[in-house]
Amino acid sequence: MRLFSKKISRDDLKPGDHIYAWRNAYIYSHHGIYIGDGKVIHFTRGDGPSIREGSVLDKIIVSSVTNHGGRYNPCPNCEKRSNPRGVISSCLDCFLSGGDLHLFKYNVSLATFMTKLRGGTCTIAPSDPSDEVISRAKFLLLRNGFGDYHLFKNNCEDFAVYCKTSLVVGKSYVLGRNGQANTVGAAACVARMLTPFVRNVIRLVSDIGMRKDAIKMPVESLVAWRNKADTFVTRQKRLQHKHSKISSKKHKHKHRVLTPYKYIGTFQFVICSNLS
């Protein structure tokens, strides 16, 4: 499995490491930042909305949900939380959920990158110092400021890579451009028809360490931008809901006004029949 990823022991873990564990027979992996003392900060879907109920993608997303022992057998090492959604802190056992521990590699050479058969295991981009990595992760944990989980646009790997590098793509601060999203996405379905070398070239071009439009963004600015974006989306949804209710009331009132006239013709016919 070294062509897929690098397995490590718990004794080799260092604070600030980007770690992950494979889920569902190596279909998908869950990523997080190890902060020391057996704790991992990571980004999870929790009980958020699915892409499509019962779909394959929904089952893949469920693998990002951390196992805290359930309602009747809660983990004694993890804090009790009503909604395990967004940026959370877990013990290492709950994060792994029975999977093996792997280390995500940074600043790898082109040759090493091209030998990997799967995305979501390494990047060309260099990592920032560990204290900066942990500080970003804790800030996002405190503010729960990484938005809503999405398999392609905003996932656990995006969270961990951002904490390690503070890189976002373009002026719109796009995420979801990392190896795992490219592996699972629609483009990957087309890429599978190509040779392994061509598939790896496509992954390389998409890697955040290779993109010329990748920029450094402070975590405070990212959270502020996300809050502003979330407020705008919430406002738009609220306005749409309001207009929908107004339209529904007008439509209902229109039918209420016109309803009596439906019976005028019948009423006249009955009267005329009785007179005759």
Side-chain angles (χ1 to χ4, degrees):
M1 289 305 300
R2 294 187 65 86
L3 291 177
F4 285 94
S5 52
K6 181 181 179 181
K7 188 186 299 184
I8 61 171
S9 69
R10 299 191 183 205
D11 295 334
D12 295 330
L13 270 180
K14 302 180 185 66
D17 279 347
H18 173 173
I19 59 175
Y20 61 96
W22 289 101
R23 304 278 204 264
N24 295 334
Y26 296 97
I27 295 176
Y28 187 76
S29 57
H30 187 49
H31 296 244
I33 300 295
Y34 181 71
I35 61 172
D37 298 325
K39 294 292 184 180
V40 183
I41 296 177
H42 53 120
F43 184 51
T44 177
R45 170 197 178 232
D47 59 355
S50 60
I51 288 181
R52 185 161 56 89
E53 192 67 31
S55 67
V56 173
L57 291 179
D58 191 34
K59 292 177 181 177
I60 292 175
I61 290 179
V62 169
S63 68
S64 76
V65 181
T66 300
N67 179 17
H68 290 282
R71 180 183 302 177
Y72 302 106
N73 187 28
C75 175
N77 299 319
C78 294
E79 298 177 2
K80 183 179 179 181
R81 53 178 64 88
S82 58
N83 182 20
R85 183 180 180 185
V87 182
I88 65 173
S89 174
S90 305
C91 71
L92 186 57
D93 288 327
C94 287
F95 171 81
L96 294 174
S97 295
D100 293 324
L101 177 63
H102 295 82
L103 180 68
F104 192 100
K105 299 292 289 182
Y106 285 82
N107 201 25
V108 301
S109 65
L110 289 175
T112 300
F113 189 95
M114 294 295 287
T115 60
K116 298 297 181 180
L117 300 180
R118 286 289 304 270
T121 62
C122 63
T123 177
I124 303 292
S127 170
D128 290 334
S130 297
D131 56 339
E132 294 181 18
V133 174
I134 295 173
S135 177
R136 286 188 200 111
K138 288 184 175 180
F139 188 89
L140 291 170
L141 172 66
L142 180 64
R143 303 297 182 88
N144 198 9
F146 210 68
D148 292 328
Y149 188 98
H150 191 283
L151 179 62
F152 301 120
K153 298 178 181 179
N154 198 43
N155 58 46
C156 55
E157 184 187 351
D158 297 319
F159 169 80
V161 170
Y162 173 76
C163 289
K164 290 285 285 185
T165 65
S166 76
L167 288 173
V168 295
V169 176
K171 296 180 179 180
S172 299
Y173 315 135
V174 176
L175 294 162
R177 298 295 180 89
N178 295 307
Q180 186 160 225
N182 292 326
T183 299
V184 182
C189 297
V190 177
R192 288 190 186 97
M193 296 183 291
L194 306 174
T195 65
F197 177 78
V198 175
R199 291 201 300 265
N200 284 348
V201 169
I202 293 174
R203 284 200 304 109
L204 179 63
V205 172
S206 301
D207 184 75
I208 197 166
M210 295 292 292
R211 296 183 65 97
K212 294 183 179 180
D213 54 349
I215 59 174
K216 290 271 190 180
M217 186 177 194
V219 65
E220 297 84 0
S221 300
L222 178 68
V223 171
W225 175 80
R226 282 212 176 272
N227 288 340
K228 182 178 179 181
D230 290 344
T231 302
F232 175 77
V233 171
T234 302
R235 189 186 303 120
Q236 291 295 106
K237 288 182 178 179
R238 190 183 298 117
L239 287 174
Q240 290 176 359
H241 181 66
K242 182 178 179 181
H243 290 318
S244 177
K245 287 180 68 176
I246 293 174
S247 176
S248 177
K249 285 182 178 179
K250 286 183 178 180
H251 186 69
K252 187 175 181 180
H253 181 68
K254 179 181 177 181
H255 279 279
R256 187 182 299 148
V257 173
L258 294 178
T259 297
Y261 294 95
K262 293 192 304 181
Y263 303 101
I264 291 178
T266 305
F267 182 69
Q268 289 177 340
F269 176 76
V270 172
I271 292 176
C272 294
S273 300
N274 290 336
L275 290 176
S276 61

